[in-house]
Amino acid sequence: MAVSVLAPLAVGVPIVGACLLLVVGRWAPRPLVDWTAVATAAAVVVLDVLLLLGSAAAPAGHVATWLGGWGPGGPLGIALVADPVSAGAAVLAAALTVAALVYTWRYLDSAEAHFHALLLLFLAGMTGFVLSGDLFDMFVFFELMGAVAYALTGFRVEEPSSVQGALAFGVVNSFGAYVTLTGIGVLYAQTGQLGLAPLAVALQEHPPGAVVVGGFVLVLTGFCVKAAIVPFHFWLDDAHAVAPTPVCVLFSGIMVELGLYGVFRVTTTVFGPVLPEADLHRAFLVLGTLTALLGALLCFLQRHLKRLLAYSTIAHVGLFVAAFGTLDPAGTAGGALYVAGHAAVKSALFLVAGSILDRYGSVDEIDLHGAGRRARLLPWLMLLAGFALAGLPPFGAGLGKAVAEEAVAEAGAPWAPVLFVLVSAVTGAAVLRAACRIYFGLGSRPDKDTAREDTTGSGEEAEVGGLLQRIPATMLAPIVVLLAGGLVLGVLPGVPAAFAVAAGHFLDRAGYLAAAFGTVAAPPAPPAASGWTASGVALGLVSAVLAALLALAALYRDRLLHPPGPGRRVGVAAVGRLRGLHSGHIGDYLTWLLVGVALLAVLIGVPVLLR
C-alpha cells in the first residue's frame, strides 16, 4: 500500500465505520456493535502505524498527500502532511480509542450504537486535525472534534450536571475556536495563504508587525483553550466530572495534548523564523509554570476523583508546555515522550475511577473511606499508577519527565527540575492518598462537611445498569494493558532514540516545506538521544518518595496540624478564593478566556513590537 494513501484512509475509515453503525446499529445485537467499533479503531491503529513507519523512512521524515485535485503551491488546498510526531499522535489517539471501546463492552447498556459512532467520529476528527497541513482544515477538524466531544460530554442528557458540563465545554471551546478562525482570517487577508507551508513562506516577506503578531495570538487562542493552559483551563474539570469514563480517557489522554500539538505546530512551522525564539521560549515557560503550579495545587485539594485527575492533567500540561517551549530537539523529544507516558498512566487512572464508580456508586474519596478493603487487583493497580504519575522509574512518564526537566534546565531555567519534581510529586500524592483511603482505609475518617467550594462525588450515578459485584475482565484488561504500555516506554532500549529523531523531524521546517511543495530537502542531522541518566533516576525516585510522604501527611493531617495556626487559616482562605474562581458560570469562564488572550498578547506581542 502506497504511503500517500494511508493518511486519507486513517481519516476516512472511522467516518465510514461510524456511518455503518448508525445505519445498522439499531437492529444489530450489542456484541456485533462492540466488535465492529473495536475492529474499526484497530484498523486505524494499523494504518497509523504504517504511516508512522512510512514517514520515519521518508528521506526528509515527512509524507504529504494532496486531496481533491489540489496540488502544491496554490493558496488553497487540502493537504495531509505526516511526520513521526503527528503520525505518532494519530497512533496514540487510535490506541486509546480501542482501549475506551473495549472498556465500553460492559458500559451504558442503553447506548445502542450511538456512543460507539460518536467515539469513531471523535477519532476521525483527532486524526484529521493532527495530519492537516492547512490552517483552515485544522479548524474544520478542530470543530468536528469539538462538536463530537460536546455530545459525548453531555451523553447522559437525563442528568442536569451532564448538560451543564457539556454546555460550558461547548461554549468556551467554540468561542476559542471562533477566535482562532478570526486569526486565520487575519493571516489570510495579510498573505493570501492558508496552507502551513505557503503561509510560512509568505510571512517571511512581512515584518512581525501588529497584524501578524495579532493573527498569531488569535490562532493560538483556540488551541490553548483545547490544551487547558491557564487561564484557558476552566472548562476542563467540569467536563471531566460529567463525561462518561471512556470519554475522559480520550480527553485527558490525547485531546488536550492535541491542543498543544496545534500550538507548537503553528509556532515552529509557520512563525519560527518570523518571531524571536527567545521571546517565544520565555512566554511558553511562564505559561507552563503557571499552569503546572495551579493544576497541582487544585489537584491535591480535590475529593472528587475525576476532578482530581482532571486537575492533574492540567498540571502535567504545564510541564509539557515548558518542555515543548524550549523549541529545541531535546525539549521536544522529552515533551513527546512525557505525553505518551502520561497518556498511558492517566487513561488507566480514569478507567480505575470509572470502575470505582460502577462498583461502589461514588467517586467521592471521603465517602469511600475503606469501601474497597476486599478488592484484590485494583488497589495495587491504582497505587502503581499513582507512583508512575509521580515519575517513578522505569515508567515512560518518568523517562519523559527526566529528559524534559534536563532539557528545560539547559534551555535557561535551572530551577526546572524543582518544578518538575514538585508538580509530579503533588499530583502523584493525590492519587496515592485516594487509593490508600478508599482501598486500605488509612488515615482518620475526615469530616464530610466541607467548604462551599468543594465538589463531592457522592451524587454521581453508576455508568452500568446496576452496581457491579465484581469488575469484569473487559474493564480490567485495558487498565493492565495501558499500565504495561507505560512501563514498556520506559524500558525499551530504542525509545529515547526514536523520540529524538521524531523531534528533529518535527522541528525541521525545511523538510516540512519541501514535502508540502513536492520538492526535496536534506534530512536534518540526527539529534543526540537522551535516555535514563543517574540524575534523572535520582530525581524520579525523589519525586516518588515525596509523593508517598505527601500522601501520608494528607491522610494524617489532623494529627500533624492540630491545633491549626494562623498561617494555616490564611492559606485556607487564599485557597478558598482560588477555588471560588472556578465557579461553573460560563460568563466567568469567557471572561478568563479574554484575559488569556490579553496575557498571550503581552507575553508574545509586546516584546516583539518593542524591538
Side-chain angles (χ1 to χ4, degrees):
M1 182 182 295
V3 177
S4 59
V5 305
L6 293 173
L9 284 176
V11 178
V13 165
I15 295 177
V16 173
C19 294
L20 177 64
L21 286 176
L22 290 175
V23 171
V24 304
R26 182 173 300 179
W27 301 280
R30 177 63 184 266
L32 179 60
V33 171
D34 289 329
W35 278 109
T36 301
V38 170
T40 303
V44 179
V45 172
V46 174
L47 292 170
D48 289 336
V49 169
L50 293 175
L51 183 61
L52 172 61
L53 297 176
S55 63
H62 297 80
V63 174
T65 304
W66 286 86
L67 306 178
W70 300 95
L76 304 174
I78 304 173
L80 301 177
V81 183
D83 59 53
V85 168
S86 60
V91 171
L92 181 59
L96 292 181
T97 303
V98 171
L101 285 167
V102 171
Y103 183 90
T104 303
W105 284 358
R106 287 293 300 273
Y107 172 85
L108 283 182
D109 297 332
S110 62
E112 296 180 348
H114 299 89
F115 188 76
H116 305 72
L118 286 172
L119 284 180
L120 291 178
L121 289 175
F122 192 40
L123 173 59
M126 292 188 291
T127 305
F129 175 79
V130 81
L131 296 178
S132 290
D134 179 276
L135 264 183
F136 186 76
D137 292 335
M138 290 181 75
F139 170 78
V140 170
F141 284 112
F142 187 86
E143 279 297 274
L144 172 61
M145 180 170 53
V148 177
Y150 313 150
L152 287 169
T153 302
F155 191 81
R156 305 174 73 179
V157 294
E158 69 277 6
E159 298 181 9
S161 60
S162 294
V163 176
Q164 192 275 336
L167 182 62
F169 181 15
V171 171
V172 174
N173 277 262
S174 294
F175 188 81
Y178 298 144
V179 174
T180 290
L181 182 60
T182 302
I184 294 172
V186 169
L187 295 176
Y188 181 68
Q190 187 77 359
T191 65
Q193 301 288 346
L194 289 174
L196 297 182
L199 182 60
V201 173
L203 284 175
Q204 294 183 26
E205 303 173 0
H206 295 269
V211 175
V212 171
V213 173
F216 175 60
V217 168
L218 294 177
V219 168
L220 250 59
T221 295
F223 300 148
C224 288
V225 172
K226 192 71 74 180
I229 297 173
V230 172
F232 302 98
H233 69 288
F234 287 89
W235 62 271
L236 187 134
D237 70 306
D238 289 341
H240 280 69
V242 300
T245 296
V247 178
C248 293
V249 168
L250 298 179
F251 281 5
S252 268
I254 185 62
M255 183 192 74
V256 169
E257 288 74 8
L258 290 188
L260 291 180
Y261 173 86
V263 168
F264 289 101
R265 170 59 78 194
V266 171
T267 299
T268 57
T269 302
V270 179
F271 289 89
V274 179
L275 302 177
E277 184 175 305
D279 295 336
L280 293 173
H281 171 58
R282 186 186 310 109
F284 289 130
L285 186 61
V286 170
L287 290 173
T289 302
L290 180 63
T291 302
L293 293 176
L294 181 64
L297 174 62
L298 292 176
C299 167
F300 197 72
L301 296 174
Q302 300 303 309
R303 56 186 286 185
H304 189 297
L305 290 182
K306 293 172 77 173
R307 288 184 184 270
L308 182 155
L309 295 176
Y311 280 114
S312 169
T313 296
I314 293 174
H316 283 86
V317 161
L319 301 182
F320 302 156
V321 171
F324 285 114
T326 61
L327 304 177
D328 62 27
T332 302
L337 184 51
Y338 205 173
V339 164
H342 171 269
V345 173
K346 183 57 62 65
S347 298
L349 281 170
F350 267 111
L351 294 182
V352 169
S355 300
I356 290 173
L357 175 61
D358 293 335
R359 176 67 179 87
Y360 306 110
S362 174
V363 286
D364 189 286
E365 174 189 336
I366 294 178
D367 282 350
L368 291 172
H369 184 274
R373 283 192 176 97
R374 296 183 180 180
R376 296 181 178 180
L377 182 58
L378 276 180
W380 307 107
L381 293 177
M382 190 172 182
L383 286 175
L384 190 63
F387 278 114
L389 193 65
L392 178 69
F395 279 92
L399 177 57
K401 168 184 166 295
V403 176
E405 64 193 4
E406 181 180 349
V408 177
E410 292 180 354
W415 42 265
V418 176
L419 174 69
F420 277 70
V421 167
L422 178 63
V423 170
S424 56
V426 170
T427 55
V431 174
L432 295 177
R433 181 198 67 207
C436 290
R437 181 168 280 155
I438 294 169
Y439 286 113
F440 301 99
L442 297 185
S444 56
R445 183 182 293 273
D447 188 355
K448 293 184 180 182
D449 294 331
T450 55
R452 179 175 55 86
E453 296 84 6
D454 280 353
T455 301
T456 68
S458 56
E460 302 291 336
E461 295 288 337
E463 298 171 337
V464 292
L467 294 182
L468 300 174
Q469 297 304 309
R470 58 185 298 273
I471 304 299
T474 52
M475 297 175 75
L476 285 174
I479 300 172
V480 175
V481 170
L482 286 167
L483 286 177
L487 181 61
V488 167
L489 280 174
V491 299
L492 205 62
V495 167
F499 275 84
V501 172
H505 288 310
F506 181 79
L507 296 174
D508 180 21
R509 183 172 175 274
Y512 189 98
L513 267 59
F517 286 124
T519 59
V520 179
S530 178
W532 287 112
T533 61
S535 61
V537 172
L539 289 174
L541 293 174
V542 168
S543 226
V545 171
L546 181 58
L549 294 176
L550 288 172
L552 289 174
L555 289 169
Y556 298 99
R557 63 179 181 178
D558 291 339
R559 301 180 186 179
L560 298 174
L561 298 176
H562 185 76
R568 184 187 177 191
R569 288 193 291 269
V570 173
V572 169
V575 168
R577 289 184 176 274
L578 179 62
R579 299 177 73 172
L581 296 178
H582 299 74
S583 61
H585 297 298
I586 297 175
D588 293 347
Y589 293 176
L590 292 178
T591 300
W592 280 108
L593 190 153
L594 296 177
V595 170
V597 175
L599 180 61
L600 279 177
V602 170
L603 291 175
I604 297 174
V606 171
V608 173
L609 298 177
L610 291 180
R611 285 181 181 271

